[in-house]
Amino acid sequence: MIDRTLPFIDLHRHLDGNVRLETILELADRHQIDLPAKDVEGLRPHVQISERESGLMAFISRFKYLTAILVDGEACRRVGYENVADARAEGIDYLELRFSPWFMAESHGLDPRALIEAVVDGVRAGERDTGVKAQLIGILSRTYGPETCMRELDALLALRDEFVALDLAGDEARFPAPLFRAHFERARDAGLAVTVHAGEAAGPQSIWESIRELGATRIGHGLSAREDPALLDFLAERRIGLEVSLTSNVHTSAVTGYEEHPLAEFLRRGLLANLNTDDPAISGIDLTHEYTMAAPRAGLSPAQIRQSQANALEMAFLSAADKKALAERKRSTPRT
């Protein structure tokens, strides 16, 4: 199902949603952090989801042990590095990792700017050691409210050159996009692209607002777009990308099952949509699973699966020259 002549790309992966269980156990032991188990298989059901959660915020609660071990800069650096190493092991050629520094810093009261520096150091070291190209997207965690998000934005913009885009994530239903208009105006003025979590826990109006109020050129999830034919036409005409994560959407109860997912419909209508992992440690999956297992269950044809892979390259926050170079490098040296 995976076309090895095309780049294998993940555009929507939360860095703090991809922490190895072994790393959690090791750092918890080192820093005397209480866990509900002392081995991988005992810890797994407390982190990974096997059934649907009751909603998005119940899913987010699964981050508890992933962030509990972020005790200092070295732990954050390690998680950043291991994210890129894991991508290499999955055969990923290019990925965009996103994280909310405020959310990651909260458990141990870390300084958000210092945390960002540590994550960046780990990710860049991972790039050098693996050859995988990784770019960073900063998240404003809307759940904290506009005032705290402005402070979070300050920390991100202090290291603006390390980021390609700004995202808005968290409690979509209670904190709508217009509350963050000023934040994203600052980000766009700083030259950052915009992608926004929308249409996952709220209706199509959330997607419209993310585009019109915040300037989003990509949307994370976007499932409720299927409720608005005019929005579907707008997304297709403007080539606004939808970052879709099939298994995650099932686990958050955004859809009742793979078979009910609208991705196949989106692709039939010519929307620019692709497959991603979202939070691999929580969903217990990798990108290969989404292409070879989840996509067929969601009704995607082999041609649609390949189109998703091609769409990922078009959607990537890369220059035209970098996209061309990535595609040419993949064709000349396809990895198995």
Side-chain angles (χ1 to χ4, degrees), residues 60-79:
I60 290 175
S61 72
R62 291 284 184 144
F63 280 85
K64 176 180 179 180
Y65 297 113
L66 305 183
T67 56
I69 51 83
L70 299 177
V71 298
D72 55 22
E74 181 51 39
C76 297
R77 183 189 187 281
R78 175 173 173 173
V79 169

Side-chain angles (χ1 to χ4, degrees), residues 5 10 18 20 30 40 70 87 93 106 134 137 162 167 183 193 221-222 224 237 242 257 262 300 305 307 317 326 332:
T5 67
D10 195 338
N18 188 43
R20 298 174 184 174
R30 182 183 305 170
V40 167
L70 299 177
D93 300 291
E106 186 177 35
I137 297 172
E162 300 294 346
D167 185 13
H183 305 66
H221 305 296
S224 65
E237 291 166 4
L242 298 181
L300 273 68
I305 294 172
Q307 186 61 52
F317 289 136
L326 181 60
S332 64

Side-chain angles (χ1 to χ4, degrees), residues 52 223 226 245-247 249-251 254-266 268 293-300 304:
R52 293 166 56 209
L223 305 181
R226 63 177 159 183
S245 303
L246 293 172
T247 298
N249 294 155
V250 173
H251 285 166
V255 294
T256 56
Y258 291 104
E259 295 76 14
E260 286 72 43
H261 201 286
L263 177 56
E265 175 191 351
F266 289 165
R268 280 195 298 273
M293 303 295 291
R297 288 187 64 184
L300 273 68
Q304 288 178 320

Side-chain angles (χ1 to χ4, degrees), residues 44-255:
R44 193 181 304 279
H46 297 279
V47 173
Q48 290 183 1
I49 296 173
S50 57
E51 303 291 338
R52 293 166 56 209
E53 290 284 4
S54 60
L56 175 61
M57 297 313 292
F59 179 92
I60 290 175
S61 72
R62 291 284 184 144
F63 280 85
K64 176 180 179 180
Y65 297 113
L66 305 183
T67 56
I69 51 83
L70 299 177
V71 298
D72 55 22
E74 181 51 39
C76 297
R77 183 189 187 281
R78 175 173 173 173
V79 169
Y81 182 92
E82 289 180 351
N83 262 265
V84 183
D86 289 346
R88 179 63 179 86
E90 292 177 46
I92 291 173
D93 300 291
Y94 170 75
L95 80 160
E96 292 174 2
L97 292 167
R98 61 188 69 195
F99 67 100
S100 160
W102 210 272
F103 182 70
M104 289 178 65
E106 186 177 35
S107 293
H108 296 280
L110 302 182
D111 174 64
R113 178 169 175 172
L115 182 147
I116 294 168
E117 292 173 344
V119 169
V120 167
D121 188 48
V123 169
R124 299 305 174 222
E127 284 187 296
R128 291 192 298 271
D129 290 350
T130 66
V132 174
K133 184 173 178 60
Q135 297 205 98
L136 294 172
I137 297 172
I139 292 177
L140 300 185
S141 186
R142 66 210 306 167
T143 313
Y144 296 116
E147 183 177 344
T148 296
C149 281
M150 193 61 80
R151 295 165 63 193
E152 186 168 38
L153 179 61
D154 289 340
L156 290 164
L157 291 182
L159 289 95
R160 181 265 169 270
D161 290 346
E162 300 294 346
F163 293 90
V164 293
L166 186 69
D167 185 13
L168 183 66
D171 192 343
E172 179 188 1
R174 292 179 57 232
F175 295 89
L179 293 174
F180 304 93
R181 187 184 298 111
H183 305 66
F184 281 82
E185 183 177 0
R186 283 185 64 197
R188 296 194 310 274
D189 287 346
L192 290 173
V194 175
T195 177
V196 175
H197 282 67
E200 181 185 20
Q205 184 62 26
S206 177
I207 301 172
W208 281 118
E209 290 172 346
S210 297
I211 296 167
R212 291 170 169 167
E213 304 282 349
L214 306 186
T217 59
R218 281 179 12 198
I219 296 292
H221 305 296
L223 305 181
S224 65
R226 63 177 159 183
E227 302 169 16
D228 186 340
L231 176 57
L232 290 172
D233 290 342
F234 184 87
L235 293 171
E237 291 166 4
R238 298 298 178 93
R239 303 299 281 171
I240 294 173
L242 298 181
E243 308 156 358
V244 175
S245 303
L246 293 172
T247 298
S248 175
N249 294 155
V250 173
H251 285 166
T252 62
S253 293
V255 294

Side-chain angles (χ1 to χ4, degrees), residues 1 246 258-259 264 275 288-302 305:
M1 292 289 187
L246 293 172
Y258 291 104
E259 295 76 14
L275 290 162
T288 296
H289 174 277
E290 296 302 276
Y291 272 85
T292 62
M293 303 295 291
R297 288 187 64 184
L300 273 68
S301 68
I305 294 172

Side-chain angles (χ1 to χ4, degrees), residues 313-324:
L313 182 61
E314 181 177 344
M315 291 167 59
F317 289 136
L318 288 168
S319 68
D322 284 343
K323 291 178 183 179
K324 181 179 180 182

